[in-house]
Amino acid sequence: MTTRVGLIVPSSNTTIETEVPHMLRRHGEVTGERFTFHSSRAQLHQVDAESLDRMVADSDRCARELSDARVDALVYACLVAIMVRGHGAHESSEQHLAEVAAANGGAAPVVSSAGALIGAMEALGLQRVAIITPYLPELTAAVAGYIESYGITVTDAVSLGVADNVEVAGISEARLVEHARRLDTTAADGVVLSCCVQMPSLSAIAPVEAELGIPILSAATATVYQLLRALDRPPVVPGAGRLLSGEPVGAGGG
């Protein structure tokens, strides 16, 4: 069986089209499924409010292009562009893009990385999380505020202060392990190792989870979790942390 996944991607993003296919290949090794990936890009260079607004405005075009390919699901892969709009933004964005695709004759479920992260934390039962973002501090504050608007406390945050979205992709995953050690996790029941689908983190998820002993997830692992659920597939990806382990989730809160 082949499943077509449509990705709405910031033009400067080079990570989501690497990590998501890699995880779904691992999933396919377990289930025998095959996935193909089809992208439409919306222009984004700098991660600032004006640039994010322009990119969001272009997402309708992307949804129409991908629905022409009759993809089985759409992924809107820019977390901060949604979260800066405040509580409920991912629900309205997903609904709108689904309507755009359906009006073009290619109805498909829509998963946003922003909504996926909230949904994955809720699935794990997390109540208090520490986060790492590549953003400037004001955008990190907006992300933390969005998470907290869903009743999940952000206990600590590391903001790496990178505004150029191309440079975000060059952040070392090995350094991300070091950044995780900077977090105060004493009050946290989970860590979001990368609150950005452009900041690579997949190879760091398992070692940080083993070191800290609490669930570790990222915008990308959350996106794959919610995508597989939207496709009515088992959310199992070996080596991608507890969220995608296939074990029951929901025991993270306390």
Side-chain angles (χ1 to χ4, degrees):
M1 178 178 182
T2 298
T3 300
R4 293 190 293 272
V5 177
L7 300 170
I8 299 175
V9 183
S11 60
S12 51
N13 190 296
T14 57
T15 303
I16 191 71
E17 292 156 308
T18 301
E19 290 197 339
V20 167
H22 186 70
M23 282 186 271
L24 290 179
R25 279 194 295 272
R26 290 187 193 174
H27 173 83
E29 290 170 0
V30 174
T31 65
E33 291 185 76
R34 180 173 178 267
F35 296 84
T36 61
F37 302 92
H38 314 276
S39 299
S40 180
R41 309 182 85 79
Q43 191 170 70
L44 178 72
H45 300 295
Q46 296 293 115
V47 187
D48 55 51
E50 183 179 352
S51 300
L52 291 169
D53 281 343
R54 284 197 302 268
M55 192 201 75
V56 169
D58 205 22
S59 61
D60 285 16
R61 172 189 58 78
C62 297
R64 283 191 294 270
E65 288 179 359
L66 293 168
S67 62
D68 282 346
R70 300 299 186 258
V71 294
D72 296 296
L74 284 164
V75 173
Y76 184 49
C78 187
L79 178 141
V80 69
I82 298 295
M83 288 192 173
V84 295
R85 283 159 174 74
H87 181 84
H90 72 263
E91 290 105 326
S92 59
S93 177
E94 290 168 2
Q95 179 179 344
H96 173 72
L97 292 174
E99 290 170 355
V100 170
N104 196 44
V110 176
V111 172
S112 70
S113 53
L117 185 59
I118 298 298
M121 289 189 289
E122 291 174 342
L124 284 165
L126 302 183
Q127 298 175 6
R128 301 172 300 277
V129 298
I131 67 174
I132 301 175
T133 88
Y135 310 126
L136 297 172
E138 55 268 30
L139 286 180
T140 299
V143 168
Y146 195 87
I147 291 170
E148 293 197 324
S149 78
Y150 284 86
I152 302 165
T153 301
V154 176
T155 62
D156 193 21
V158 168
S159 182
L160 301 183
V162 181
D164 186 303
N165 203 43
V166 173
E167 292 181 10
V168 169
I171 294 171
S172 164
E173 292 179 70
R175 290 294 303 277
L176 204 55
V177 175
E178 297 174 17
H179 292 311
R181 292 174 181 145
R182 294 169 51 199
L183 286 169
D184 181 357
T185 59
T186 54
D189 50 22
V191 170
V192 183
L193 196 61
S194 173
C195 273
C196 176
V197 292
Q198 171 73 330
M199 184 164 72
S201 63
L202 184 56
S203 70
I205 296 281
V208 173
E209 194 167 78
E211 182 173 324
L212 296 182
I214 54 178
I216 309 297
L217 67 160
S218 70
T221 61
T223 296
V224 168
Y225 176 81
Q226 292 295 89
L227 173 62
L228 288 170
R229 291 185 65 199
L231 292 167
D232 198 27
R233 309 291 199 273
V236 176
V237 176
R242 175 171 178 168
L243 177 68
L244 289 160
S245 68
E247 299 175 4
V249 296

